[in-house]
Amino acid sequence: MSDGLDYDVVVIGSGIAGSTLALCLAKQGVRTLVVEKGRHPHFVIGESTVPSTSYSFEYLNELTDVPELAAAYSYPGLKKAGCTGWPKQHFWFGWNDPGEPVTPDKELCFYALLPPRGPDFHANRADLDHFFVKLFPKYEVTYHDKTAVTAFESDETSARVTIKPENGDERTVTAAYVVDCTGHASFLAKKFGMRKADPELSTNSRSLFGHFKNVKFLDDILPANDEVGFLRDGGTIHHIFKGGWIWGIRFDSGVMSVGITLDRDVWPLDESITAEEELRTIIDRYPTVKAALGEMVPIRPIIRTGRVHGGTDRIQFSVNAIHGERFILSPHSAGFIDPLFSTGILLTGAFLNRFVPLAAKAAKDGDWGMERFRPLETVFMREIEMVDKVVGGMFRSWRYGHATFTHYWRLWLYVGSAMYLTRVAVPQEDAAGPGVFAANIPSVERLVRRMHEIIFDPAFEAESGTKALKATMDEVWDASHGPGMMDWPLDPDRTLCVKFLATGETRLAQLHMLKWWRSLVASNPTVAAKVQVGRVARWILDNRKRKHTDQREIEESRKGDGVFAKAYTIIENIRLGAIKGPFTDNPALLWNTDADAAAGVEVTAKAYDVHATENDPVARAKQPGKSA
């Protein structure tokens, strides 16, 4: 530990990155202080997980033994933590043309993890972040909210952080290391001029978003789609149109997170209209979107971006470096691309698995030198490049229509599958191993760069360019991927639904997945050298074991608080045909109902307040008349 210093680590910010980092560090014996400018609970987006996110937090639990992290990697775990959420069984995409409803040939779907490994979930972040903060006393994390960081200095021996409580005197604490988890505010990045004036990213978007009630289920508007197999709202909704996309992230409270992200070159900001006027104008252009969102009512003010470096409405930012003497930036403090594909929490989970073991060892060795953390910067820069090329290329594809979008979308399928399946097989703490969006997998990196090069070619033309995208993806999808991966028409005439990761569905799907995984690893020797076959075997066996353990927990739950059983009931109810419509406001899809109360199902977390700092020995020691 760091003798003579107040703390080993000071974490600035207590969102999902700062709170989970603090819990994991403290469990490893690292003396940790968290400083939060605001107060929980508070509104924040970043509400959808993907399979690799769930796996990252599951792995982090195994690495650090913080079992409450289960709230961050499964819908039943989220509900046991008392948080509002929703089971996510798939990613649904619908192509919208002005004045035309979405038709089956304009629908795309990619299954997420299904039970027993899944499902992934949507989380009301105000609930989830607060849940983790409420664990601070249990893990002996010192916490100050409503406290600003006003200054930072460091040298080769320590870091000094000056903090100012809202109703208290300014004081300085010392630590061996500081982690900036302040997100867009990026306190240390701004202080040291690390933020790039030009992000040098191909994605160029802005956004407006909020939480709403009275949002209709798509299956109350469109005919049921057997190919999807679930209610469309049983996953994350992506309405795509030329120049932008609309997300729909449903919660089991009846509220929905809705946001529009726009290509700034196609949809430049018009400051003469309000955020709500712009929102309504876009919604009214597309019949299916209007039918679902036309009567929605905001439950909080709509936010339109314009707060990032210099007040620009562009949401992308990046840095020249993520660490310096005695400090490091968490991913969301170092860079951001776009909400598309939910990469924010994904990058956070990957960072935590790498940083926590390094920090624990640094605390033990008393060595917090920059070289120890340099590999984290190297992999993060590659990850941001990969995310930007996939997301930026997706935005560009929308300019040319549904067919072009479909064949660039196939790149995301490939990258997402490669990312998940290779990361299952290697230690997550290894910064040189497979990363977010398949960074550090050479063959996949080459594919991403090639597809990005095609779509951004100044001479790109819709028909010939789409053929080039299709040919490139056809070359990498081979028969080992299973049926439906190669025979995609140039201009799809049916719903295309990919169930490649749906290992809980059929043994055949799992066999196809493993065959493809072996082919991918064999073509990347640097990845093959890191693979631990035992991890893959444990992952397969664990899938089978979870079926039985989940069933036992369902039965036990029915005898107790009912939470786990209720969560599984909602999971089953979003399967197509499980319940009859209408689905909007259907009690079978809501958590807090009169039936729940009658059955004794817990619907809120048993919370306790952690805003006080009376348990802070450093603060007490520095107050006259008090001792540690």
Side-chain angles (χ1 to χ4, degrees):
M1 298 298 109
S2 306
D3 294 336
L5 301 178
D6 296 329
Y7 301 97
D8 297 313
V9 174
V10 171
V11 178
I12 310 174
S14 63
I16 196 166
S19 59
T20 54
L21 172 60
L23 295 173
C24 294
L25 289 176
K27 186 61 186 285
Q28 308 312 302
V30 179
R31 296 175 301 156
T32 305
L33 165 68
V34 178
V35 181
E36 166 61 46
K37 186 176 182 179
R39 191 171 192 177
H40 288 279
H42 55 72
F43 175 75
V44 64
I45 59 171
E47 302 151 315
S48 172
T49 64
V50 300
S52 288
T53 307
S54 301
Y55 183 72
S56 286
F57 281 94
E58 183 177 354
Y59 190 97
L60 189 62
N61 175 24
E62 296 173 0
L63 198 65
T64 63
D65 190 26
V66 179
E68 292 88 353
L69 289 174
Y73 61 77
S74 76
Y75 176 66
L78 183 77
K79 297 312 299 181
K80 288 170 70 176
C83 301
T84 300
W86 184 252
K88 174 180 177 174
Q89 298 286 36
H90 60 77
F91 308 78
W92 181 89
F93 295 76
W95 179 266
N96 293 265
D97 287 311
E100 299 292 335
V102 172
T103 51
D105 60 313
K106 297 297 193 294
E107 295 186 56
L108 298 171
C109 181
F110 182 37
Y111 275 20
L113 295 176
L114 305 184
R117 198 86 207 181
D120 298 308
F121 62 85
H122 301 157
N124 183 320
R125 283 284 303 281
D127 287 357
L128 183 59
D129 294 7
H130 196 198
F131 167 73
F132 287 129
V133 169
K134 288 182 294 193
L135 293 170
F136 285 171
K138 175 181 176 180
Y139 287 89
E140 298 183 350
V141 174
T142 303
Y143 179 56
H144 295 289
D145 66 357
K146 302 180 75 173
T147 299
V149 173
T150 58
F152 171 88
E153 294 179 344
S154 65
D155 55 34
E156 61 183 16
T157 64
S158 67
R160 294 168 296 284
V161 182
T162 303
I163 60 177
K164 173 67 170 64
E166 186 178 83
N167 297 310
D169 296 330
E170 195 172 67
R171 66 185 180 92
T172 298
V173 296
T174 58
Y177 208 71
V178 174
V179 185
D180 183 337
C181 295
T182 53
H184 280 92
S186 205
F187 175 83
L188 292 177
K190 291 179 180 178
K191 173 179 174 59
F192 291 104
M194 301 165 78
R195 182 74 61 80
K196 293 181 181 179
D198 178 357
E200 300 175 349
L201 300 166
S202 64
T203 313
N204 180 22
S205 61
R206 62 185 182 88
S207 190
L208 51 160
F209 51 87
H211 280 182
F212 301 83
K213 61 182 181 179
N214 297 344
V215 178
K216 293 182 180 178
F217 273 65
L218 286 175
D219 281 74
D220 286 336
I221 298 164
L222 300 173
N225 190 326
D226 292 336
E227 185 60 35
V228 175
F230 293 94
L231 299 178
R232 294 171 178 89
D233 285 70
T236 304
I237 298 294
H238 304 75
H239 285 290
I240 310 299
F241 53 91
K242 288 189 177 182
W245 71 287
I246 300 171
W247 77 71
I249 297 176
R250 190 167 289 280
F251 301 125
D252 53 25
S253 61
V255 170
M256 194 173 207
S257 172
V258 177
I260 300 182
T261 306
L262 301 166
D263 184 330
R264 294 171 71 241
D265 293 328
V266 179
W267 296 84
L269 176 63
D270 180 357
E271 295 183 350
S272 69
I273 61 174
T274 67
E276 183 157 4
E277 287 171 338
E278 182 174 34
L279 184 75
R280 300 293 177 183
T281 298
I282 294 171
I283 287 171
D284 288 347
R285 291 170 60 93
Y286 308 106
T288 300
V289 175
K290 184 176 181 180
L293 308 182
E295 297 178 5
M296 70 182 186
V297 178
I299 63 172
R300 53 163 291 109
I302 297 170
I303 295 173
R304 183 161 59 182
T305 53
R307 65 185 185 279
V308 184
H309 57 77
T312 175
D313 59 317
R314 187 178 185 184
I315 61 178
Q316 289 72 42
F317 65 93
S318 61
V319 292
N320 293 304
I322 73 165
H323 70 134
E325 189 171 61
R326 298 276 169 169
F327 75 89
I328 195 167
L329 310 179
S330 68
H332 202 188
S333 297
F336 185 74
I337 304 301
D338 189 86
L340 188 64
F341 305 136
S342 305
T343 55
I345 305 179
L346 174 60
L347 287 161
T348 293
F351 169 80
L352 293 173
N353 276 305
R354 298 165 188 149
F355 178 77
V356 170
L358 287 178
K361 192 172 190 311
K364 181 179 179 180
D365 298 343
D367 177 11
W368 295 86
M370 289 181 63
E371 286 305 311
R372 184 185 292 269
F373 301 99
R374 197 171 302 282
L376 276 64
E377 178 176 273
T378 301
V379 67
F380 175 76
M381 295 303 187
R382 294 183 82 134
E383 289 173 331
I384 282 291
E385 179 199 356
M386 291 297 104
V387 173
D388 176 55
K389 281 182 164 51
V390 174
V391 173
M394 200 69 66
F395 268 86
R396 181 58 66 104
S397 76
W398 300 337
R399 299 185 185 187
Y400 303 100
H402 174 251
T404 307
F405 156 56
T406 296
H407 291 285
Y408 206 91
W409 186 77
R410 295 172 70 194
L411 174 65
W412 170 65
L413 300 182
Y414 191 94
V415 168
S417 301
M419 169 175 60
Y420 181 80
L421 295 174
T422 53
R423 295 179 79 215
V424 163
V426 302
Q428 293 299 287
E429 55 268 46
D430 185 356
V436 169
F437 269 39
N440 290 339
I441 305 179
S443 69
V444 184
E445 289 187 339
R446 289 193 296 271
L447 173 65
V448 170
R449 292 183 180 118
R450 175 57 184 150
M451 290 286 283
H452 188 266
E453 181 181 80
I454 293 171
I455 196 70
F456 275 92
D457 186 335
F460 187 93
E461 183 273 329
E463 184 174 354
S464 61
T466 302
K467 288 180 179 178
L469 295 173
K470 173 176 163 52
T472 302
M473 292 311 304
D474 284 347
E475 186 177 346
V476 297
W477 287 123
D478 59 44
S480 67
H481 297 95
M485 297 309 240
M486 290 184 62
D487 58 346
W488 289 28
L490 185 65
D491 192 357
D493 57 359
R494 66 185 188 279
T495 299
L496 298 172
C497 188
V498 179
K499 306 174 183 179
F500 188 49
L501 287 180
T503 57
E505 287 290 283
T506 65
R507 186 176 297 273
L508 180 62
Q510 193 171 79
L511 291 174
H512 282 309
M513 177 194 66
L514 291 174
K515 185 178 180 182
W516 175 74
W517 173 79
R518 286 196 297 267
S519 173
L520 177 69
V521 169
S523 64
N524 290 276
T526 56
V527 176
K530 296 179 180 296
V531 166
Q532 297 179 358
V533 177
R535 289 185 180 276
V536 182
R538 285 197 302 273
W539 180 80
I540 294 172
L541 292 173
D542 191 47
N543 284 338
R544 299 172 184 172
K545 183 173 71 173
R546 288 188 185 198
K547 288 185 179 181
H548 303 291
T549 57
D550 282 4
Q551 187 57 46
R552 283 200 303 271
E553 189 162 0
I554 289 170
E555 293 169 1
E556 292 171 1
S557 173
R558 287 173 178 153
K559 301 173 185 176
D561 62 14
V563 171
F564 196 86
K566 170 75 173 180
Y568 255 88
T569 297
I570 292 182
I571 290 169
E572 289 301 316
N573 286 348
I574 64 175
R575 283 187 177 273
L576 196 61
I579 61 173
K580 294 182 179 180
F583 305 104
T584 306
D585 296 326
N586 190 317
L589 298 169
L590 295 172
W591 188 264
N592 192 358
T593 65
D594 292 340
D596 293 328
V601 176
E602 294 285 348
V603 295
T604 58
K606 290 184 173 67
Y608 51 89
D609 202 338
V610 293
H611 302 305
T613 59
E614 290 301 313
N615 68 330
D616 180 356
V618 174
R620 288 203 305 271
K622 294 187 176 183
Q623 294 177 22
K626 294 190 177 183
S627 64

